[in-house]
Amino acid sequence: MTDILPSTTNASQPEEQQPWYAIRLFSIRQKAVCDYLAEHGLEYFVPMQYVDFETRDGKRKRELRPVVRNLVFVKKSLSQRQMTGVVQECPYKMAVIRKSRTSTAYYEISSKEMHEFQVMCNPEIELRKYLTEEEAQLKVGTPVDVVFGPLKGLSGKLVRQSKKYYLLKEIPGMGVMIKVSRWCCKPVVEK
């Protein structure tokens, strides 16, 4: 469901450095909303995972499905005013997540954070868990950078659950955890 479409570039930032918005949907028509965003030339991302299920005739089947049906991430290629217009014109009810309940400014996810989140959401990775935003905020851990192994270059919070260590990446609306060896991580030193 992830489409890479040409988008209108924002002159203030190179395209690869543009932040992302998180959009909460109040409709079950996620695919229709994604098609609407694509029609407006917006690049979007929907976290996907493989789901095993049994068909009516008793056969086992594996299918790629969205992790959550009420969240879509959109690359900021329009001004906030233009984005507000696109959201309001949509036939399906949705809202861009804001910095706070009282703020009118949209919460922006940096391009680096979004890239790391997309890498961690790869449906081919087996030892991964998705969390709600509230569950992710409750996790206690140490901010780390991964310096060795296949996840080298990623950053997040090192958390422990069920005697295993995970790298937790939090963004507005959700969080994702991937199993990692704690020996591959280096604590982030505050400067």
Side-chain angles (χ1 to χ4, degrees), residues 120 125-129 150-151 158 163-167 177-182:
M120 292 176 73
I125 297 174
E126 295 291 325
L127 296 171
R128 181 188 61 237
K129 296 180 182 184
L151 301 177
L158 184 66
K163 298 182 182 179
K164 295 180 179 135
Y165 286 93
Y166 293 88
L167 182 66
M177 293 189 331
I178 293 182
K179 187 173 179 320
V180 67
S181 170
R182 69 180 176 162

Side-chain angles (χ1 to χ4, degrees), residues 9-180:
T9 56
N10 185 345
S12 64
Q13 294 176 320
E15 190 168 331
E16 62 274 354
Q17 296 300 318
Q18 291 176 336
W20 289 69
Y21 294 132
I23 298 180
R24 188 168 314 281
L25 307 179
F26 301 101
S27 166
I28 60 170
R29 307 280 317 265
Q30 186 178 42
K31 176 73 171 118
V33 169
C34 291
D35 292 343
Y36 172 81
L37 295 170
E39 287 171 13
H40 285 78
L42 296 170
E43 181 180 337
Y44 65 89
F45 173 74
V46 176
M48 306 287 276
Q49 68 182 348
Y50 285 107
V51 176
D52 295 324
F53 63 97
E54 194 171 306
T55 61
R56 291 181 189 199
D57 56 348
K59 294 181 182 176
R60 305 261 324 141
K61 192 172 180 182
R62 186 177 182 117
E63 189 175 87
L64 195 59
R65 294 184 180 171
V67 173
V68 290
R69 297 216 173 261
N70 68 339
L71 202 58
V72 176
F73 299 95
V74 177
K75 191 175 216 177
K76 180 185 176 182
S77 56
L78 303 172
S79 69
Q80 182 168 331
R81 186 178 192 172
Q82 292 170 317
M83 189 67 188
T84 301
V86 169
V87 168
Q88 289 175 346
E89 291 170 10
C90 183
Y92 308 102
K93 188 162 172 58
M94 61 179 164
V96 180
I97 295 177
R98 299 182 185 274
K99 289 183 179 180
S100 69
R101 289 181 181 239
T102 57
S103 174
T104 59
Y106 293 156
Y107 188 98
E108 293 183 359
I109 305 164
S110 73
S111 61
K112 180 183 183 291
E113 291 290 315
M114 193 63 195
H115 173 72
E116 289 181 358
F117 178 72
Q118 288 173 329
V119 168
M120 292 176 73
C121 287
N122 181 349
E124 302 298 324
I125 297 174
E126 295 291 325
L127 296 171
R128 181 188 61 237
K129 296 180 182 184
Y130 289 100
L131 307 170
T132 65
E133 186 175 18
E134 294 78 23
E135 290 172 331
Q137 290 174 353
L138 290 174
K139 294 285 184 189
V140 177
T142 305
V144 295
D145 289 327
V146 181
V147 293
F148 303 109
L151 301 177
K152 182 178 179 180
L154 297 181
S155 62
K157 193 170 16 172
L158 184 66
V159 297
R160 188 170 179 190
Q161 181 179 356
S162 303
K163 298 182 182 179
K164 295 180 179 135
Y165 286 93
Y166 293 88
L167 182 66
L168 170 64
K169 177 65 74 178
E170 296 177 65
I171 59 169
M174 67 183 301
V176 62
M177 293 189 331
I178 293 182
K179 187 173 179 320
V180 67

